Amino acid sequence: MLQSPVDSLRLTLTLDSARRASIVLASTPTLQKNRALTAIADSLRRNTADILAANRDDLTAGAANGLSAGLLDRLTLDDARVAALADAVLQIALLTDPVGEVVRGSSLPNGVKISQVRVPFGVVGVIYEARPNVTVDIAALALKSGNAVVLRGGSAAENTNRVLVALLQTAIESVGLPGDIVQTIDPFGREGATELMQARGQVDVLIPRGSAGLINAVVTQSTVPVIETGAGVVHIFLDESANRDWAVEIVHNSKVQRPSVCNAVETLLVHEGAADRVLPAVLARLAASGVTIHGDSRVQALFPDAVPASEFDWETEYMSLDLAVTVVAGLDEALAHIRRYSTGHTESIITNDIVNSERFLNEVDSAAVMVNASTRFTDGGEFGFGAEVGISTQKLHARGPMGLPELTSTKWIVRGTGQVRA
Amino acid sequence: MLQSPVDSLRLTLTLDSARRASIVLASTPTLQKNRALTAIADSLRRNTADILAANRDDLTAGAANGLSAGLLDRLTLDDARVAALADAVLQIALLTDPVGEVVRGSSLPNGVKISQVRVPFGVVGVIYEARPNVTVDIAALALKSGNAVVLRGGSAAENTNRVLVALLQTAIESVGLPGDIVQTIDPFGREGATELMQARGQVDVLIPRGSAGLINAVVTQSTVPVIETGAGVVHIFLDESANRDWAVEIVHNSKVQRPSVCNAVETLLVHEGAADRVLPAVLARLAASGVTIHGDSRVQALFPDAVPASEFDWETEYMSLDLAVTVVAGLDEALAHIRRYSTGHTESIITNDIVNSERFLNEVDSAAVMVNASTRFTDGGEFGFGAEVGISTQKLHARGPMGLPELTSTKWIVRGTGQVRA
C-alpha cells in the first residue's frame, strides 16, 4: 500500500474521477466516441516527434538499467510504429460499438418486458510492462466500449506513457469528453499497482498483460475481478494418421512464424506409430529455420541434433526458436501430457482420424482446440474481431481472443405497467 | 490452511477425484445426465425418513447452539420440503442442456472453420451456510451443466448434508456415472473452506451463497475466480409523475411478498413533488401489513408512526418488514443516493415520464433496472430460466439471475485442412 497518506488520497481521487468519467462515457453516443478516436489518431501523428523524444529517454534509461534486447525492442517506438498505432485507433473507430446491443429478451406471461443489454464495465484497470503500444491500444478499445481506464504501465516506459496519456487526454477533451477517461497511476509506483489491485468497487475489472510472473501476482493479490490473459504452453499432437505435409507446414508455421507470442507452439507430441514416417521431415524443416529441438531419447535417436529434454522443457513457454518434442504411445498419453502441462491456451491435433479428432476436440480443456490448423490462428484479428484486447486463458467471462464485447458487462432492463409478483 | 498434512492430502485427493469425475461428466450425453437427475429425485423421496432424521440432529444441535429462528427455519426440512426438492430436480432434468450449444461461429477467409461452443467449467466449488436445500439444488444444476461440485455447507447442516451427499452419490452411481461428481468437504471444517479458496487450477469457479459476511470473505480471500451472488440494498424511486395505485401496489409487493430475500426493496426514495400525493397511501398500505417505516424528518411529518432513519438505514439490507424512506429533490438526487448506497442488485422507478424513465434505465448501474414493476421480478424463475443458481451482483461473466448457461464456459473449436497463418 501507499506509504504516504497524500499519495493514497491522490490515488483515491484518481479512481473517483475515473468513475465520474465512466458515467459520462457510458451515455456517450457511438458517433462522439468515434470522433474522440479520430482525434487521438490525428494527435499521435502530429505529435510523433514528442513521443519519440520521450521514448528515447526511456530507451536510454533501459539500456543503462540492462534491459534485455527483447524488452528494449518492445519498448521502442519509431515513426512507422507510431503511424501503425494511429491506424489501429482508426480501425477501432470502424468497429461495431458493443454498448447497447440487446443480447436476448422476452415478454413475460404477465406482460413485463425484459431485455439483457450490453453495458460498459465502468472502470477498467490495466497493469502491463514496458509496452507503450498497449497504452494506446487499450485506451482506444476501452473508450470504444465505453469504459474509463486506469493504466499502470511500469517504470521502463514511464516517459513515453506520460506523453501518450497526456496526448490521449487532450484529444478526448477536444471533442468535449472528460480527459479522465484515460489516466495513469505510474507516478504512484509499485505501491500504486498494489493499491489498484485492492480497489474493489472502485475498479470493476483488472486486466494484467505481460509476463507470467506479473499475471500471477495480479491473480493472487487482486480482490478486484481479474481477466487473466495468460501464458501459452501450446501443444501440437501428430497422430498416427497425420498427413506429413500438413504436419511439416503446420508445426513450422506454429513455431517459426512468430516465436515470441503466446499462440506459438512450445511442445510437439508425436504418436510412436508416426515418428519414423513424419518426424524427420518435421524436424528438418524446423532446424533449417534455426529451431533448437529439445527431445527425449527416442527423438534424439531419430534426430541426433536434438538436445536432451527434461521436466523443465515440458513446463516452459520458450517464446523463442526452441521446441520440446516427445514420442507418446498414442492419443491417451498425448491427452494426459496436455492435461498435465498445458496452460489452457491452444492445442492442435494433426490427424486424418475422425474418432481421434473428435476425442481431442472434446477432451482437451483449452481456450482453443484445433484439428489440422496452425496454433497461430488463436488471435482476435484472425478470428475476425478486428481488434484484440488479449487472449483469456481463464474460464470465467471470456475465453480465448477477446474483442470489444468482452470489455462489456450486461444489465437487465425490465419495463412494466404496474405489474407485481403473484 | 489445514493443520494436518493428512487432511491436506485428503483434500487434494478429493479435488483430484472431482477433476477426474468432471472429465467423464463433460462427455456424458444429456440423456444420461437426465437419468441421474431422475434417480436423485427418486432417492430423495424414498429416503425422506433418513434425511429428516439427520435434519432433526442438526436442528437439535442448532437450537442448543442458539441459532436464530430464521436460521433454524432455513435449516429445517420436512416431508413437503423434501418432496419440493425432488420436484425441483425433475424440473432441472426438463431444462435444455447448455453444453454443446454453438454460441457463434464462422468460416474464415482461408477456409478454417471456427465455432464457439459451450463447455462445462469443470469443477465448481460452492460455499454456503445452513441451507440443506442448496446442497441438492446446486448439485443438480451442476450435474445438468456438466460440472463436478465440491460443497462446503457449514457445520450447522452437517448431518443433513452428509446424508444428502451420500444419497446423491449413490443415485449418480446407479446410472453408471462417477459418484465423485458431488462431494462435500465439510469434514475438513473451516480450514477446508480456506484451502478451497486457494485451490486455483484445481477448482475452476467458486460460488459463495449466504450472508454478506460470508460472500465478502470469499471474495477477498479467494484466488479461485468467484461469482459473487450478492446482497440487495434494493431501491424504488417514486418520481413526481408516479401513478399512485401502481406505487402503492409495487412498493407493497416489493417489500411484503417475501421480505427475507435479496430482491425485496429496502429503501424508498420519493420525489418531493410526489410526497404529499403518493406517500401517505404507500406507507399506510405497508403499515397495514406490519412494515416498520424508518423515515427522515419529512417522512415523519407525513407519517407520524415512522421511526427516525439514520445513515445505518440507508446502508442496511433489512431482509425483514422494515423499510427506509426518504424524500429527495428529484431524479438527480435519487440517482446520487442509489450510486452511493446500492449494492447493484435491482432498482425500480415508478414514473409516467419517458425522459426520466430512460435516464434511470441508462444511469443506474445495477444487474436489473426497472420501470413500473416490482423488484421481486429479478428472479431466474420469473425470467423464464426454469431454475436459478443465484443472482450475480458482479459484472464479470454473469450479471443478474443465473441459469444453467451461466454455469458454463466456452471454448473455440477450430477445424482446418492444413492451413497455416500467412
Side-chain angles (χ1 to χ4, degrees):
Chain A
M1 301 308 245
L2 290 166
Q3 295 300 309
S4 143
V6 175
D7 273 356
S8 192
L9 177 62
R10 283 174 55 220
L11 181 59
T12 299
L13 293 175
T14 299
L15 298 181
D16 285 351
S17 65
R19 175 65 65 197
R20 282 193 302 277
S22 79
I23 293 169
V24 174
L25 186 59
S27 301
T28 299
T30 309
L31 277 175
Q32 198 178 352
K33 292 191 285 190
N34 287 346
R35 273 197 287 270
L37 291 168
T38 309
I40 289 169
D42 286 349
S43 174
L44 291 171
R45 287 180 187 284
R46 272 187 289 109
N47 297 288
T48 301
D50 289 354
I51 297 167
L52 298 186
N55 189 241
R56 275 191 297 275
D57 292 343
D58 284 329
L59 289 169
T60 305
N65 291 332
L67 285 195
S68 71
L71 278 178
L72 285 172
D73 178 58
R74 287 181 172 192
L75 187 54
T76 302
L77 293 179
D78 56 25
D79 283 303
R81 287 185 178 183
V82 173
L85 270 178
D87 286 346
V89 173
L90 291 178
Q91 287 298 318
I92 291 168
L94 295 174
L95 296 177
T96 302
D97 188 341
V99 175
E101 182 199 345
V102 179
V103 178
R104 54 181 166 162
S106 64
S107 190
L108 304 185
N110 56 17
V112 168
K113 289 173 178 55
I114 66 172
S115 54
Q116 189 181 28
V117 177
R118 281 203 189 283
V119 295
F121 280 127
V123 178
V124 174
V126 186
I127 300 183
Y128 55 110
E129 287 168 331
R131 300 189 69 162
N133 61 311
V134 171
T135 306
V136 176
D137 267 353
I138 203 90
L141 290 162
L143 195 159
K144 181 73 185 232
S145 55
N147 295 292
V149 274
V150 178
L151 304 167
R152 157 67 186 165
S155 55
E158 201 165 351
N159 290 296
T160 316
N161 285 338
R162 189 177 51 245
V163 170
L164 287 173
V165 168
L167 292 174
L168 289 163
Q169 290 176 332
T170 307
I172 290 167
E173 285 167 0
S174 75
V175 303
L177 286 172
D180 290 344
I181 287 170
V182 179
Q183 293 182 80
T184 173
I185 58 162
D186 279 346
F188 302 103
R190 273 178 188 277
E191 293 73 21
T194 306
E195 203 138 317
L196 191 66
M197 294 186 224
Q198 300 298 320
R200 191 174 174 88
Q202 298 173 279
V203 176
D204 294 299
V205 180
L206 203 53
I207 304 177
R209 287 192 62 173
S211 66
L214 171 82
I215 291 167
N216 196 46
V218 173
V219 158
T220 53
Q221 291 172 39
S222 178
T223 60
V224 175
V226 171
I227 299 181
E228 188 179 347
T229 59
V233 177
V234 167
H235 298 77
I236 294 178
F237 171 51
L238 303 183
D239 197 13
E240 190 166 16
S241 64
N243 177 311
R244 190 173 66 180
D245 293 343
W246 291 3
V248 168
E249 292 308 317
I250 288 172
V251 174
H252 185 267
N253 185 258
S254 299
K255 178 78 255 177
V256 174
Q257 202 234 2
R258 199 168 170 204
S260 67
V261 292
C262 60
N263 58 17
V265 66
E266 305 293 8
T267 298
L268 180 65
L269 308 166
V270 187
H271 193 295
E272 61 183 6
D276 291 344
R277 179 176 62 86
V278 180
L279 201 51
V282 169
L283 299 184
R285 177 80 202 276
L286 291 168
S289 294
V291 176
T292 301
I293 305 300
H294 304 249
D296 63 17
S297 55
R298 295 166 79 175
V299 172
Q300 290 175 281
L302 283 163
F303 191 77
D305 286 350
V307 301
S310 66
E311 182 72 13
F312 170 83
D313 294 279
W314 315 131
E315 293 170 347
T316 297
E317 185 181 20
Y318 297 115
M319 310 198 92
S320 60
L321 287 173
D322 292 84
L323 183 69
V325 185
T326 182
V327 175
V328 294
L331 179 59
D332 284 319
E333 193 180 328
L335 290 170
H337 183 107
I338 289 170
R339 253 198 298 282
R340 177 151 178 205
Y341 295 106
S342 167
T343 53
H345 190 296
T346 299
E347 335 293 337
S348 186
I349 182 174
I350 316 299
T351 188
N352 194 36
D353 185 300
I354 286 186
V355 171
N356 286 357
S357 156
E358 293 302 307
R359 269 196 68 198
F360 192 87
L361 292 175
N362 283 334
E363 295 184 26
V364 172
D365 188 20
S366 297
V369 193
M370 307 184 162
V371 49
N372 296 327
S374 168
T375 60
R376 292 276 294 123
F377 285 122
T378 304
D379 176 89
E382 293 291 317
F383 276 17
F385 297 172
E388 185 180 280
V389 179
I391 295 177
S392 165
T393 52
Q394 70 179 31
K395 295 183 183 177
L396 211 64
H397 184 71
R399 199 176 189 200
M402 294 190 288
L404 285 176
E406 281 72 28
L407 277 186
T408 65
S409 182
T410 58
K411 72 179 176 190
W412 286 95
I413 301 290
V414 178
R415 294 175 191 267
T417 48
Q419 286 89 341
V420 298
R421 188 162 161 184
Chain B
M1 300 309 245
L2 289 167
Q3 295 301 310
S4 142
V6 175
D7 274 357
S8 192
L9 177 61
R10 282 174 54 220
L11 182 59
T12 300
L13 293 176
T14 299
L15 299 180
D16 285 351
S17 66
R19 175 65 64 197
R20 282 194 301 276
S22 79
I23 292 169
V24 174
L25 187 59
S27 301
T28 298
T30 309
L31 278 175
Q32 198 179 353
K33 292 191 284 190
N34 287 346
R35 273 197 287 269
L37 292 168
T38 308
I40 289 170
D42 286 348
S43 173
L44 291 172
R45 287 181 187 282
R46 271 188 288 109
N47 297 287
T48 301
D50 289 354
I51 298 167
L52 297 187
N55 190 241
R56 275 191 297 274
D57 292 344
D58 284 331
L59 289 170
T60 305
N65 292 332
L67 285 195
S68 71
L71 278 179
L72 284 173
D73 178 58
R74 287 181 172 192
L75 188 53
T76 302
L77 293 180
D78 56 25
D79 284 303
R81 288 186 179 184
V82 174
L85 270 178
D87 285 347
V89 173
L90 291 179
Q91 288 296 320
I92 291 168
L94 295 174
L95 296 177
T96 302
D97 189 341
V99 175
E101 183 198 344
V102 178
V103 178
R104 53 181 167 163
S106 64
S107 190
L108 303 185
N110 56 15
V112 168
K113 289 172 178 57
I114 67 172
S115 54
Q116 189 182 28
V117 177
R118 281 203 189 284
V119 295
F121 280 128
V123 177
V124 175
V126 186
I127 300 182
Y128 55 110
E129 287 168 332
R131 299 189 71 163
N133 61 311
V134 171
T135 306
V136 176
D137 268 353
I138 204 89
L141 290 161
L143 195 160
K144 181 74 184 231
S145 56
N147 295 291
V149 274
V150 178
L151 304 167
R152 157 66 185 166
S155 54
E158 203 166 349
N159 290 297
T160 317
N161 284 339
R162 188 177 52 244
V163 170
L164 288 172
V165 168
L167 291 175
L168 290 163
Q169 290 176 332
T170 306
I172 291 167
E173 286 169 358
S174 76
V175 303
L177 286 172
D180 290 344
I181 286 170
V182 179
Q183 293 182 80
T184 173
I185 59 162
D186 279 346
F188 301 104
R190 274 178 187 278
E191 293 73 21
T194 307
E195 202 139 317
L196 191 67
M197 294 185 224
Q198 301 299 320
R200 191 175 175 88
Q202 298 173 278
V203 176
D204 295 298
V205 179
L206 203 53
I207 305 178
R209 287 192 61 174
S211 67
L214 171 84
I215 292 166
N216 197 47
V218 172
V219 158
T220 52
Q221 292 172 38
S222 179
T223 60
V224 174
V226 172
I227 299 181
E228 188 179 348
T229 58
V233 177
V234 167
H235 298 77
I236 294 178
F237 172 52
L238 303 182
D239 197 13
E240 190 165 17
S241 63
N243 176 312
R244 190 173 63 180
D245 294 343
W246 291 3
V248 169
E249 294 307 315
I250 287 172
V251 174
H252 184 267
N253 185 259
S254 299
K255 179 78 254 178
V256 174
Q257 202 233 3
R258 198 167 171 203
S260 66
V261 292
C262 60
N263 59 16
V265 67
E266 304 293 8
T267 297
L268 180 67
L269 307 166
V270 187
H271 193 295
E272 60 183 7
D276 291 342
R277 180 177 61 86
V278 179
L279 201 52
V282 169
L283 299 185
R285 177 80 202 275
L286 291 168
S289 294
V291 176
T292 302
I293 304 300
H294 304 249
D296 63 16
S297 56
R298 295 166 79 175
V299 173
Q300 290 176 280
L302 283 164
F303 190 77
D305 287 349
V307 301
S310 67
E311 182 72 13
F312 171 83
D313 294 280
W314 315 132
E315 294 170 345
T316 297
E317 185 182 20
Y318 297 116
M319 309 199 93
S320 59
L321 287 173
D322 292 84
L323 183 69
V325 186
T326 182
V327 175
V328 294
L331 179 60
D332 284 320
E333 193 180 328
L335 290 170
H337 183 106
I338 289 169
R339 252 198 298 281
R340 178 153 177 203
Y341 296 107
S342 167
T343 53
H345 190 294
T346 300
E347 334 294 336
S348 185
I349 182 175
I350 317 299
T351 189
N352 193 37
D353 185 298
I354 285 185
V355 172
N356 286 357
S357 155
E358 293 302 306
R359 269 197 67 199
F360 192 87
L361 292 175
N362 283 333
E363 294 184 27
V364 172
D365 188 20
S366 297
V369 194
M370 307 184 164
V371 49
N372 296 328
S374 168
T375 59
R376 291 275 295 122
F377 286 122
T378 304
D379 176 90
E382 293 291 317
F383 276 17
F385 296 173
E388 185 180 280
V389 180
I391 295 177
S392 166
T393 52
Q394 70 179 29
K395 295 182 181 175
L396 210 63
H397 183 71
R399 199 176 189 201
M402 295 189 287
L404 286 176
E406 282 71 28
L407 277 185
T408 64
S409 182
T410 57
K411 71 178 175 191
W412 286 95
I413 301 290
V414 178
R415 294 175 191 268
T417 46
Q419 286 90 340
V420 298
R421 188 162 161 183

